Coordinates of all heavy atoms in Angstrom, one line a residue:
E229 N 54.0 134.7 -76.0 CA 53.9 135.8 -75.0 C 53.7 137.2 -75.6 O 52.8 137.9 -75.3 CB 55.1 135.7 -74.0 CG 54.9 136.7 -72.9 CD 54.1 136.1 -71.7 OE1 54.1 134.9 -71.5 OE2 53.4 136.9 -71.1
P230 N 54.6 137.6 -76.5 CA 54.5 138.9 -77.2 C 53.1 139.0 -77.9 O 52.5 140.0 -77.9 CB 55.6 139.0 -78.1 CG 56.6 138.0 -77.7 CD 55.9 136.9 -77.0
E231 N 52.8 137.9 -78.6 CA 51.5 137.9 -79.4 C 50.3 138.0 -78.4 O 49.3 138.7 -78.7 CB 51.4 136.7 -80.2 CG 52.3 136.6 -81.4 CD 52.4 135.3 -82.0 OE1 52.8 134.3 -81.3 OE2 52.1 135.1 -83.2
L232 N 50.4 137.3 -77.3 CA 49.3 137.4 -76.3 C 49.2 138.8 -75.8 O 48.1 139.3 -75.6 CB 49.5 136.4 -75.2 CG 49.0 135.0 -75.5 CD1 49.4 134.1 -74.3 CD2 47.6 134.9 -75.7
N233 N 50.3 139.4 -75.5 CA 50.3 140.8 -75.0 C 49.7 141.8 -76.0 O 48.9 142.6 -75.6 CB 51.8 141.2 -74.7 CG 52.2 140.6 -73.4 OD1 51.4 140.2 -72.5 ND2 53.5 140.6 -73.2
S234 N 50.1 141.6 -77.3 CA 49.5 142.5 -78.3 C 48.0 142.3 -78.4 O 47.2 143.2 -78.7 CB 50.2 142.5 -79.6 OG 50.0 141.2 -80.2
F235 N 47.6 141.0 -78.3 CA 46.1 140.7 -78.3 C 45.5 141.4 -77.1 O 44.4 142.1 -77.3 CB 46.0 139.2 -78.2 CG 44.5 138.8 -78.0 CD1 43.6 138.8 -79.1 CD2 44.1 138.3 -76.8 CE1 42.3 138.4 -78.9 CE2 42.8 137.9 -76.6 CZ 41.9 137.9 -77.7
A236 N 46.0 141.3 -75.9 CA 45.4 141.9 -74.7 C 45.4 143.4 -74.9 O 44.4 144.1 -74.5 CB 46.3 141.5 -73.5
E237 N 46.5 144.0 -75.4 CA 46.5 145.5 -75.5 C 45.5 146.0 -76.5 O 44.9 147.0 -76.3 CB 47.9 145.9 -76.0 CG 48.9 146.0 -74.9 CD 50.4 146.0 -75.3 OE1 50.6 146.4 -76.5 OE2 51.2 145.7 -74.5
F238 N 45.3 145.2 -77.6 CA 44.3 145.6 -78.6 C 42.9 145.6 -78.0 O 42.1 146.5 -78.4 CB 44.4 144.6 -79.8 CG 43.5 145.0 -81.0 CD1 43.9 146.0 -81.8 CD2 42.3 144.3 -81.2 CE1 43.1 146.4 -82.9 CE2 41.5 144.7 -82.3 CZ 41.9 145.7 -83.1
Y239 N 42.6 144.7 -77.1 CA 41.2 144.6 -76.6 C 41.0 145.2 -75.3 O 39.8 145.3 -74.8 CB 40.7 143.1 -76.6 CG 40.4 142.6 -78.0 CD1 41.3 141.8 -78.7 CD2 39.3 143.0 -78.7 CE1 41.1 141.3 -79.9 CE2 39.0 142.5 -79.9 CZ 39.9 141.7 -80.6 OH 39.6 141.3 -81.9
I240 N 42.0 145.7 -74.6 CA 41.9 146.2 -73.3 C 40.8 147.3 -73.1 O 40.1 147.4 -72.1 CB 43.2 146.6 -72.7 CG1 43.1 146.8 -71.2 CG2 43.8 147.9 -73.3 CD1 44.5 146.8 -70.5
D241 N 40.7 148.2 -74.1 CA 39.8 149.3 -74.1 C 38.4 148.9 -74.6 O 37.5 149.7 -74.5 CB 40.3 150.5 -74.8 CG 41.6 151.0 -74.2 OD1 41.7 150.9 -73.0 OD2 42.4 151.6 -74.9
K242 N 38.3 147.8 -75.3 CA 37.1 147.4 -75.9 C 36.2 146.5 -75.1 O 35.0 146.4 -75.3 CB 37.4 146.7 -77.3 CG 38.1 147.5 -78.2 CD 38.6 146.8 -79.5 CE 39.3 147.7 -80.5 NZ 40.6 148.2 -80.0
W243 N 36.8 145.8 -74.1 CA 36.0 144.9 -73.2 C 35.8 145.6 -71.9 O 36.7 146.3 -71.4 CB 36.8 143.6 -73.0 CG 36.9 142.7 -74.2 CD1 36.3 142.9 -75.4 CD2 37.8 141.6 -74.4 NE1 36.7 141.9 -76.3 CE2 37.6 141.1 -75.7 CE3 38.8 141.0 -73.5 CZ2 38.3 140.0 -76.2 CZ3 39.5 139.9 -74.0 CH2 39.3 139.4 -75.3
D244 N 34.7 145.2 -71.2 CA 34.5 145.6 -69.8 C 33.8 144.4 -69.2 O 33.7 143.3 -69.8 CB 33.8 146.9 -69.6 CG 32.4 146.9 -70.2 OD1 31.8 145.8 -70.3 OD2 31.9 148.0 -70.6
E245 N 33.4 144.6 -67.9 CA 32.8 143.4 -67.2 C 31.5 143.0 -67.8 O 31.0 141.9 -67.5 CB 32.6 143.8 -65.7 CG 31.6 144.9 -65.4 CD 32.2 146.3 -65.5 OE1 33.4 146.4 -66.0 OE2 31.5 147.2 -65.2
N246 N 30.9 143.8 -68.7 CA 29.6 143.4 -69.3 C 29.8 142.7 -70.7 O 28.8 142.3 -71.3 CB 28.7 144.6 -69.5 CG 28.4 145.3 -68.2 OD1 28.0 144.6 -67.2 ND2 28.4 146.6 -68.1
T247 N 31.0 142.6 -71.1 CA 31.3 142.0 -72.4 C 30.9 140.5 -72.4 O 31.4 139.8 -71.4 CB 32.8 142.2 -72.8 OG1 33.1 143.6 -72.8 CG2 33.1 141.6 -74.2
S248 N 30.2 140.1 -73.3 CA 29.7 138.7 -73.3 C 30.8 137.7 -73.7 O 31.7 138.1 -74.4 CB 28.5 138.5 -74.2 OG 28.9 138.6 -75.6
E249 N 30.7 136.5 -73.3 CA 31.7 135.4 -73.7 C 31.6 135.3 -75.2 O 32.7 135.0 -75.8 CB 31.3 134.1 -73.0 CG 31.6 134.1 -71.5 CD 31.3 132.8 -70.9 OE1 30.9 131.8 -71.6 OE2 31.5 132.7 -69.7
D250 N 30.5 135.5 -75.8 CA 30.4 135.3 -77.2 C 31.2 136.4 -78.0 O 32.0 136.0 -78.9 CB 28.9 135.5 -77.6 CG 28.6 135.0 -79.0 OD1 29.0 133.8 -79.3 OD2 28.0 135.7 -79.8
V251 N 31.2 137.6 -77.5 CA 32.0 138.7 -78.1 C 33.5 138.4 -77.9 O 34.3 138.6 -78.8 CB 31.6 140.1 -77.5 CG1 32.6 141.1 -77.9 CG2 30.2 140.5 -78.0
I252 N 33.8 137.9 -76.7 CA 35.2 137.6 -76.4 C 35.7 136.5 -77.3 O 36.8 136.5 -77.9 CB 35.4 137.3 -75.0 CG1 35.2 138.6 -74.1 CG2 36.8 136.7 -74.7 CD1 35.2 138.4 -72.6
A253 N 34.9 135.4 -77.5 CA 35.3 134.3 -78.3 C 35.5 134.8 -79.8 O 36.4 134.4 -80.5 CB 34.2 133.2 -78.3
E254 N 34.6 135.7 -80.3 CA 34.7 136.2 -81.6 C 36.0 137.0 -81.8 O 36.6 137.0 -82.8 CB 33.5 137.1 -82.0 CG 32.2 136.3 -82.2 CD 32.2 135.3 -83.3 OE1 32.9 135.6 -84.4 OE2 31.6 134.3 -83.2
S255 N 36.4 137.7 -80.7 CA 37.6 138.5 -80.8 C 38.8 137.5 -81.0 O 39.8 137.9 -81.7 CB 37.8 139.2 -79.4 OG 36.7 140.1 -79.2
F256 N 38.8 136.4 -80.3 CA 39.9 135.4 -80.5 C 40.0 135.0 -82.0 O 41.1 135.0 -82.6 CB 39.8 134.2 -79.6 CG 40.3 134.4 -78.3 CD1 39.6 134.9 -77.2 CD2 41.6 134.0 -78.0 CE1 40.1 135.1 -76.0 CE2 42.2 134.1 -76.7 CZ 41.4 134.7 -75.7
T257 N 38.9 134.6 -82.6 CA 38.9 134.1 -84.0 C 39.3 135.3 -84.9 O 40.1 135.1 -85.8 CB 37.6 133.5 -84.4 OG1 36.5 134.5 -84.2 CG2 37.2 132.3 -83.6
D258 N 38.8 136.5 -84.6 CA 39.2 137.6 -85.5 C 40.7 137.9 -85.4 O 41.3 138.1 -86.4 CB 38.4 138.9 -85.1 CG 36.9 138.8 -85.4 OD1 36.5 137.9 -86.1 OD2 36.2 139.7 -84.9
F259 N 41.2 138.0 -84.2 CA 42.6 138.4 -84.0 C 43.6 137.4 -84.6 O 44.6 137.7 -85.1 CB 42.8 138.6 -82.5 CG 44.2 139.3 -82.2 CD1 44.3 140.7 -82.3 CD2 45.3 138.5 -82.0 CE1 45.5 141.3 -82.0 CE2 46.5 139.2 -81.7 CZ 46.6 140.6 -81.7
W260 N 43.2 136.1 -84.4 CA 44.2 135.0 -84.8 C 43.9 134.4 -86.1 O 44.6 133.5 -86.5 CB 44.2 133.9 -83.7 CG 44.5 134.4 -82.3 CD1 43.6 134.7 -81.3 CD2 45.8 134.8 -81.8 NE1 44.2 135.1 -80.2 CE2 45.6 135.2 -80.4 CE3 47.1 134.8 -82.3 CZ2 46.6 135.7 -79.6 CZ3 48.1 135.2 -81.5 CH2 47.9 135.6 -80.2
W261 N 42.9 134.9 -86.8 CA 42.4 134.2 -88.0 C 43.4 133.8 -89.0 O 43.6 132.7 -89.4 CB 41.3 135.1 -88.7 CG 40.6 134.3 -89.7 CD1 40.9 134.3 -91.1 CD2 39.4 133.5 -89.6 NE1 40.0 133.5 -91.7 CE2 39.1 133.0 -90.8 CE3 38.6 133.2 -88.5 CZ2 38.0 132.2 -91.0 CZ3 37.6 132.3 -88.6 CH2 37.2 131.8 -89.9
D262 N 44.3 134.8 -89.4 CA 45.2 134.6 -90.5 C 46.6 134.4 -90.0 O 47.6 134.6 -90.7 CB 45.2 135.8 -91.4 CG 44.0 135.7 -92.4 OD1 43.6 134.6 -92.7 OD2 43.6 136.8 -92.7
T263 N 46.8 134.0 -88.7 CA 48.1 133.7 -88.2 C 48.5 132.3 -88.2 O 47.6 131.4 -88.6 CB 48.1 134.2 -86.7 OG1 47.4 133.3 -85.9 CG2 47.6 135.7 -86.6
D264 N 49.7 132.0 -87.7 CA 50.1 130.6 -87.7 C 49.5 129.9 -86.4 O 49.7 128.7 -86.2 CB 51.6 130.4 -87.7 CG 52.3 131.1 -86.5 OD1 51.6 131.9 -85.8 OD2 53.5 130.9 -86.3
K265 N 48.7 130.7 -85.6 CA 48.0 130.1 -84.5 C 46.5 130.3 -84.6 O 45.8 130.6 -83.7 CB 48.5 130.8 -83.2 CG 50.0 130.5 -82.9 CD 50.4 131.2 -81.6 CE 51.9 131.0 -81.4 NZ 52.7 131.7 -82.4
A266 N 46.1 130.1 -85.9 CA 44.7 130.4 -86.1 C 43.7 129.5 -85.3 O 44.0 128.4 -85.0 CB 44.4 130.0 -87.6
C267 N 42.7 130.2 -84.8 CA 41.6 129.4 -84.1 C 40.3 129.7 -84.7 O 40.1 130.7 -85.4 CB 41.6 129.7 -82.6 SG 41.1 131.4 -82.1
R268 N 39.4 128.8 -84.5 CA 38.0 128.8 -85.1 C 37.1 128.6 -83.9 O 37.4 128.1 -82.9 CB 37.9 127.8 -86.2 CG 38.8 127.9 -87.3 CD 38.6 129.2 -88.2 NE 39.4 129.2 -89.3 CZ 40.5 130.0 -89.4 NH1 40.9 130.7 -88.4 NH2 41.2 130.0 -90.5
R269 N 35.8 128.8 -84.2 CA 34.7 128.4 -83.3 C 33.9 127.3 -83.8 O 33.6 127.2 -85.0 CB 33.8 129.6 -83.0 CG 34.4 130.6 -82.2 CD 33.3 131.7 -81.8 NE 32.6 131.2 -80.6 CZ 31.5 131.9 -80.2 NH1 31.1 133.0 -80.8 NH2 30.9 131.5 -79.1
C270 N 33.7 126.4 -82.9 CA 32.8 125.2 -83.3 C 31.4 125.7 -83.7 O 30.8 126.5 -82.9 CB 32.8 124.2 -82.2 SG 31.7 122.8 -82.5
S271 N 30.9 125.3 -84.8 CA 29.6 125.7 -85.3 C 28.5 125.1 -84.4 O 27.4 125.6 -84.4 CB 29.4 125.3 -86.7 OG 30.4 125.9 -87.5
E272 N 28.8 124.1 -83.7 CA 27.8 123.4 -82.9 C 27.7 123.9 -81.5 O 26.7 124.3 -81.0 CB 28.1 121.9 -83.0 CG 27.0 121.0 -82.5 CD 25.7 121.2 -83.2 OE1 25.7 121.5 -84.4 OE2 24.6 121.1 -82.6
C273 N 28.9 123.9 -80.8 CA 28.9 124.2 -79.4 C 29.5 125.6 -79.1 O 29.3 126.1 -78.0 CB 29.6 123.2 -78.6 SG 31.4 123.1 -78.8
G274 N 30.1 126.2 -80.1 CA 30.7 127.6 -79.9 C 32.0 127.7 -79.2 O 32.5 128.8 -79.1
R275 N 32.6 126.5 -78.9 CA 33.9 126.5 -78.2 C 35.0 127.0 -79.2 O 34.9 126.7 -80.4 CB 34.3 125.1 -77.8 CG 33.6 124.7 -76.5 CD 34.4 123.5 -75.9 NE 33.5 122.9 -74.9 CZ 33.0 121.7 -74.9 NH1 33.3 120.9 -75.9 NH2 32.2 121.3 -74.0
L276 N 36.0 127.6 -78.7 CA 37.2 127.9 -79.5 C 37.9 126.6 -79.8 O 38.0 125.8 -78.9 CB 38.1 128.9 -78.8 CG 37.5 130.4 -78.7 CD1 38.3 131.2 -77.7 CD2 37.4 131.0 -80.0
M277 N 38.5 126.5 -80.9 CA 39.2 125.3 -81.3 C 40.5 125.6 -82.1 O 40.5 126.5 -82.9 CB 38.3 124.3 -82.0 CG 37.6 125.0 -83.2 SD 36.4 123.9 -84.0 CE 37.4 123.2 -85.3
R278 N 41.5 124.7 -82.0 CA 42.7 124.8 -82.8 C 42.8 123.6 -83.7 O 43.5 123.6 -84.7 CB 44.0 124.9 -82.0 CG 44.1 126.1 -81.1 CD 44.6 127.3 -81.9 NE 45.7 127.0 -82.8 CZ 47.0 127.0 -82.4 NH1 47.4 127.2 -81.2 NH2 47.9 126.7 -83.3
A279 N 42.0 122.6 -83.4 CA 42.0 121.4 -84.2 C 40.6 120.8 -84.2 O 39.9 121.0 -83.3 CB 43.0 120.3 -83.7
G280 N 40.3 120.2 -85.3 CA 38.9 119.6 -85.4 C 38.6 119.3 -86.9 O 39.4 119.0 -87.7
Y281 N 37.3 119.5 -87.2 CA 36.8 119.3 -88.5 C 36.4 120.6 -89.2 O 35.8 121.5 -88.5 CB 35.6 118.4 -88.5 CG 35.9 117.0 -87.9 CD1 35.6 116.8 -86.5 CD2 36.4 116.0 -88.6 CE1 35.9 115.6 -85.9 CE2 36.7 114.7 -88.0 CZ 36.4 114.5 -86.7 OH 36.6 113.3 -86.1
C282 N 36.6 120.7 -90.5 CA 36.2 121.8 -91.3 C 35.3 121.3 -92.4 O 35.8 120.4 -93.2 CB 37.4 122.6 -91.8 SG 37.0 123.8 -93.1
A283 N 34.1 121.8 -92.5 CA 33.2 121.3 -93.6 C 33.1 122.4 -94.7 O 33.0 123.6 -94.4 CB 31.8 121.0 -93.0
D284 N 33.1 122.0 -95.9 CA 32.8 122.8 -97.0 C 33.7 124.1 -97.0 O 33.1 125.2 -97.1 CB 31.3 123.2 -97.1 CG 30.8 123.7 -98.4 OD1 31.7 123.6 -99.4 OD2 29.7 124.1 -98.5
M285 N 35.0 123.9 -96.9 CA 35.9 125.0 -97.0 C 35.7 126.1 -95.9 O 35.9 127.3 -96.2 CB 36.0 125.7 -98.4 CG 36.2 124.7 -99.5 SD 37.9 124.0 -99.5 CE 38.8 125.4 -100.1
G286 N 35.1 125.8 -94.8 CA 34.9 126.7 -93.7 C 33.5 127.2 -93.5 O 33.3 128.1 -92.7
V287 N 32.5 126.6 -94.2 CA 31.1 126.9 -93.9 C 30.8 126.5 -92.5 O 30.0 127.2 -91.8 CB 30.2 126.2 -94.9 CG1 28.7 126.3 -94.5 CG2 30.4 126.7 -96.3
A288 N 31.4 125.4 -92.0 CA 31.1 125.0 -90.6 C 32.4 124.3 -90.1 O 33.2 123.7 -90.8 CB 30.0 124.0 -90.6
Y289 N 32.6 124.5 -88.7 CA 33.7 123.8 -88.0 C 33.1 123.0 -86.9 O 32.1 123.4 -86.3 CB 34.6 124.9 -87.5 CG 35.3 125.7 -88.5 CD1 34.8 126.9 -88.9 CD2 36.5 125.2 -89.1 CE1 35.4 127.7 -89.9 CE2 37.1 126.0 -90.1 CZ 36.6 127.2 -90.5 OH 37.2 127.9 -91.4
Y290 N 33.8 121.9 -86.6 CA 33.4 121.1 -85.5 C 34.6 120.7 -84.6 O 35.6 120.3 -85.1 CB 32.7 119.8 -86.0 CG 31.5 120.1 -86.9 CD1 31.7 120.1 -88.3 CD2 30.3 120.4 -86.4 CE1 30.6 120.4 -89.1 CE2 29.2 120.7 -87.2 CZ 29.4 120.7 -88.6 OH 28.3 121.0 -89.4
C291 N 34.4 120.9 -83.3 CA 35.6 120.7 -82.4 C 35.8 119.2 -82.0 O 36.9 118.9 -81.6 CB 35.4 121.5 -81.1 SG 34.1 120.9 -80.0
S292 N 34.8 118.4 -82.2 CA 34.9 117.0 -81.7 C 34.0 116.1 -82.6 O 33.2 116.5 -83.3 CB 34.3 116.9 -80.2 OG 33.0 117.3 -80.2
D293 N 34.2 114.8 -82.4 CA 33.4 113.8 -83.1 C 31.9 114.0 -82.7 O 31.0 113.9 -83.6 CB 33.8 112.4 -82.7 CG 35.2 112.0 -83.3 OD1 35.7 112.8 -84.1 OD2 35.7 111.0 -82.9
E294 N 31.7 114.3 -81.4 CA 30.3 114.5 -81.0 C 29.6 115.7 -81.7 O 28.5 115.5 -82.2 CB 30.3 114.8 -79.5 CG 29.0 114.7 -78.8 CD 29.1 115.0 -77.3 OE1 30.2 115.5 -76.9 OE2 28.1 114.9 -76.6
C295 N 30.3 116.8 -81.8 CA 29.8 117.9 -82.5 C 29.6 117.7 -84.0 O 28.6 118.0 -84.6 CB 30.6 119.2 -82.3 SG 30.4 119.9 -80.6
L296 N 30.6 117.0 -84.6 CA 30.5 116.7 -86.0 C 29.2 115.8 -86.3 O 28.5 116.0 -87.2 CB 31.7 115.9 -86.5 CG 31.7 115.4 -87.9 CD1 31.8 116.5 -88.9 CD2 32.8 114.3 -88.1
H297 N 29.0 114.8 -85.4 CA 27.9 113.9 -85.6 C 26.6 114.5 -85.3 O 25.6 113.8 -85.6 CB 28.2 112.6 -84.8 CG 29.3 111.8 -85.4 ND1 30.3 111.3 -84.7 CD2 29.5 111.4 -86.7 CE1 31.1 110.6 -85.5 NE2 30.7 110.7 -86.7
S298 N 26.5 115.7 -84.8 CA 25.2 116.4 -84.7 C 24.7 116.8 -86.0 O 23.5 117.1 -86.2 CB 25.3 117.5 -83.7 OG 26.2 118.5 -84.1
D299 N 25.6 117.0 -87.0 CA 25.2 117.4 -88.3 C 25.5 116.4 -89.4 O 24.9 116.4 -90.5 CB 26.0 118.7 -88.8 CG 25.4 120.0 -88.2 OD1 24.3 119.9 -87.6 OD2 26.0 121.0 -88.3
F300 N 26.4 115.5 -89.2 CA 26.8 114.5 -90.2 C 26.8 113.1 -89.6 O 27.3 112.9 -88.5 CB 28.2 114.7 -90.7 CG 28.4 116.0 -91.6 CD1 28.7 117.2 -91.0 CD2 28.2 115.9 -92.9 CE1 28.8 118.3 -91.7 CE2 28.4 117.0 -93.7 CZ 28.7 118.2 -93.1
T301 N 26.2 112.1 -90.3 CA 26.5 110.7 -90.0 C 27.9 110.4 -90.5 O 28.5 111.1 -91.3 CB 25.4 109.8 -90.7 OG1 25.6 109.9 -92.1 CG2 24.0 110.2 -90.3
D302 N 28.4 109.2 -90.2 CA 29.7 108.8 -90.7 C 29.6 108.7 -92.2 O 30.6 109.1 -92.9 CB 30.1 107.4 -90.2 CG 30.6 107.5 -88.7 OD1 31.1 108.5 -88.3 OD2 30.5 106.5 -88.0
E303 N 28.5 108.2 -92.8 CA 28.4 108.1 -94.2 C 28.3 109.4 -94.9 O 29.0 109.6 -95.9 CB 27.1 107.3 -94.6 CG 27.1 105.8 -94.1 CD 26.9 105.7 -92.6 OE1 26.2 106.5 -92.0 OE2 27.4 104.7 -92.1
E304 N 27.6 110.4 -94.3 CA 27.5 111.7 -94.9 C 28.9 112.4 -94.8 O 29.2 113.1 -95.7 CB 26.5 112.6 -94.1 CG 25.0 112.2 -94.4 CD 24.1 112.8 -93.4 OE1 24.5 113.3 -92.3 OE2 22.9 112.8 -93.7
W305 N 29.6 112.2 -93.7 CA 30.9 112.9 -93.6 C 31.9 112.3 -94.6 O 32.7 113.0 -95.2 CB 31.5 112.7 -92.2 CG 32.8 113.5 -92.0 CD1 34.0 113.0 -91.8 CD2 32.9 114.9 -92.1 NE1 34.9 114.0 -91.7 CE2 34.3 115.2 -91.9 CE3 32.1 116.0 -92.4 CZ2 34.8 116.5 -92.0 CZ3 32.6 117.3 -92.4 CH2 34.0 117.5 -92.2
A306 N 31.9 111.0 -94.8 CA 32.7 110.3 -95.8 C 32.4 110.9 -97.2 O 33.3 111.2 -98.0 CB 32.5 108.8 -95.7
E307 N 31.1 111.1 -97.4 CA 30.7 111.6 -98.7 C 31.2 113.1 -98.9 O 31.7 113.5 -99.9 CB 29.2 111.5 -98.9 CG 28.7 111.7 -100.3 CD 27.2 111.6 -100.3 OE1 26.6 110.7 -99.7 OE2 26.6 112.5 -101.0
E308 N 31.1 113.9 -97.8 CA 31.5 115.3 -97.8 C 33.0 115.3 -98.1 O 33.5 116.1 -98.9 CB 31.2 115.9 -96.5 CG 31.8 117.3 -96.2 CD 31.2 118.4 -97.0 OE1 30.1 118.2 -97.6 OE2 31.8 119.5 -97.1
C309 N 33.8 114.5 -97.4 CA 35.2 114.5 -97.6 C 35.6 114.0 -99.1 O 36.6 114.6 -99.7 CB 35.9 113.5 -96.6 SG 35.8 114.1 -94.9
E310 N 34.8 113.1 -99.6 CA 35.1 112.6 -101.0 C 34.8 113.7 -102.0 O 35.6 114.0 -102.9 CB 34.1 111.4 -101.2 CG 34.4 110.7 -102.5 CD 35.7 109.8 -102.4 OE1 36.0 109.4 -101.2 OE2 36.3 109.5 -103.4
N311 N 33.7 114.5 -101.8 CA 33.2 115.4 -102.8 C 33.8 116.9 -102.6 O 33.7 117.7 -103.5 CB 31.7 115.5 -102.8 CG 31.1 114.2 -103.1 OD1 31.7 113.4 -103.9 ND2 29.9 113.9 -102.6
N312 N 34.2 117.2 -101.4 CA 34.5 118.5 -101.1 C 35.7 118.7 -100.2 O 35.7 119.1 -99.1 CB 33.3 119.2 -100.5 CG 33.4 120.7 -100.5 OD1 34.2 121.3 -101.1 ND2 32.4 121.3 -99.8
Ligands
ZN136 ZN1 31.9 121.6 -80.5

């Protein structure tokens, strides 16, 4: 709750009714990036995520098996995990 309040206070003057969902989503990842509640955006669908897949030390993130498989086959993902 206190963290959510400080997040809201930080952005209250920066957002208005014309602020895009994309900008708002980026604000979440920026604000929480280095915290114990870190969130990321799925590289495929753009959803915010707290759990999922991370490729190549953060080059890409995937929120679901479906999003992962848009870029990787099972074999390619196994190889990625093996090598990186
Ligand atoms: Zn996704």
